Amino acid sequence: MNSTTNSNPNTPLLLGCHISAAGGLAKALERAQAVGINTMQIHPSPPQRWNTKPFSVGIEREFLAARDGSCLKKVFFHGIYLINLANPDQSKRHLAELSLSHDLELADRIGGEGVIFHVGSLKDEPDETVGYQRAADSIVAALERAGGSAPLLLEVSAGSGKIIGSRFSELVSIYERAGRHSRIRFALDTQHLWASGYDLANDLSGLLYEIESTVGLNAIGAIHLNDSRSALGSHVDRHEDLGKGTIGWDTLTNVVTHPKLRHIPFILETPSLKTDEGVASEMAQLRKMAGCS
């Protein structure tokens, strides 16, 4: 992948958050417009259930009509929580592949930026090389089943148990095993990185070097910006509102304003997003961090 980045300080920042899709795609867009965000992430289907059927024909029409003239520039889907592409159970992997492929198909239909998801866990597979190859094969299968051009974004994890992706190198290994497929991208998460032991406060440059020397920063499709309730290196996945956790305001501000990262969409997944008031408050904090009105 091309490692060049767009660090033009005049480029508008892509700032947003996870938005509820209750009521459908158009309703999610309405909520996004109410808080003035140009980037949103949604669950296109209930995240606790397998998505075994394609989305209905025409489900996207109202959304596309409403999107014309809106300020929305980027839309990401987040995959369901049941996915484990390293699972030895072939039937469960098949369900995961179906879920991903249906999300990818709908992402293409709405002009979305792809599907962010967690690869899974090695809890049932003691041989990590077998698990990584299994995950790579399933990723390619989901992409081929869906067709189109929307990418899958492999997200870093906090690393509890035997979860895959606590080290960026694990995701790169899967990418390599998938033949460096052109529709594979990556998603960072500040809380997950912190919990996994990446010291964003004192060694952000080390993380950036690791990315630049392997896949290039243009391979990073999105960054989940979250503070952390858990300590550095704790491997505990607990998000916190901006500036209220162990990562802190200054470190998160350095991430948002870093010239090498300003071309990447930032998406909040903080606890306060559960209410409309919380969304407005957290987005105000994010804009303040980014230095924009």
Side-chain angles (χ1 to χ4, degrees), residues 60-193:
E60 71 278 12
R61 289 173 188 159
E62 187 179 357
F63 170 86
L64 291 173
R67 185 175 181 176
D68 286 345
S70 77
C71 62
L72 193 67
K73 298 182 181 298
K74 304 287 183 181
V75 182
F76 293 87
F77 289 167
H78 198 294
I80 63 171
Y81 298 144
L82 302 176
I83 291 170
N84 180 8
L85 299 186
N87 195 330
D89 187 330
Q90 185 175 0
S91 63
K92 294 290 180 62
R93 291 201 314 279
H94 177 65
L95 289 171
E97 291 168 14
L98 280 178
S99 295
L100 289 172
S101 65
H102 295 330
D103 285 355
L104 285 165
E105 289 170 353
L106 184 59
D108 260 319
R109 283 153 56 181
I110 69 166
E113 304 302 314
V115 181
I116 301 170
F117 78 107
H118 293 282
V119 173
S121 168
L122 293 168
K123 64 183 178 67
D124 297 315
E125 176 51 68
D127 187 340
E128 71 175 31
T129 60
V130 172
Y132 290 171
Q133 187 61 57
R134 197 177 279 142
D137 292 343
S138 285
I139 287 168
V140 173
L143 289 167
E144 292 181 349
R145 178 186 290 273
S149 59
L152 284 174
L153 287 77
L154 284 55
E155 183 178 352
V156 298
S157 70
S160 58
K162 300 185 72 176
I163 298 294
I164 295 170
S166 61
R167 307 308 297 175
F168 190 72
S169 59
E170 296 172 12
L171 300 182
V172 173
S173 176
I174 292 170
Y175 171 57
E176 296 287 353
R177 292 170 188 275
R180 299 179 70 88
H181 197 291
S182 62
R183 288 169 61 199
I184 294 176
R185 295 289 186 273
F186 302 88
L188 305 180
D189 183 304
T190 52
Q191 195 281 326
H192 297 169
L193 289 165

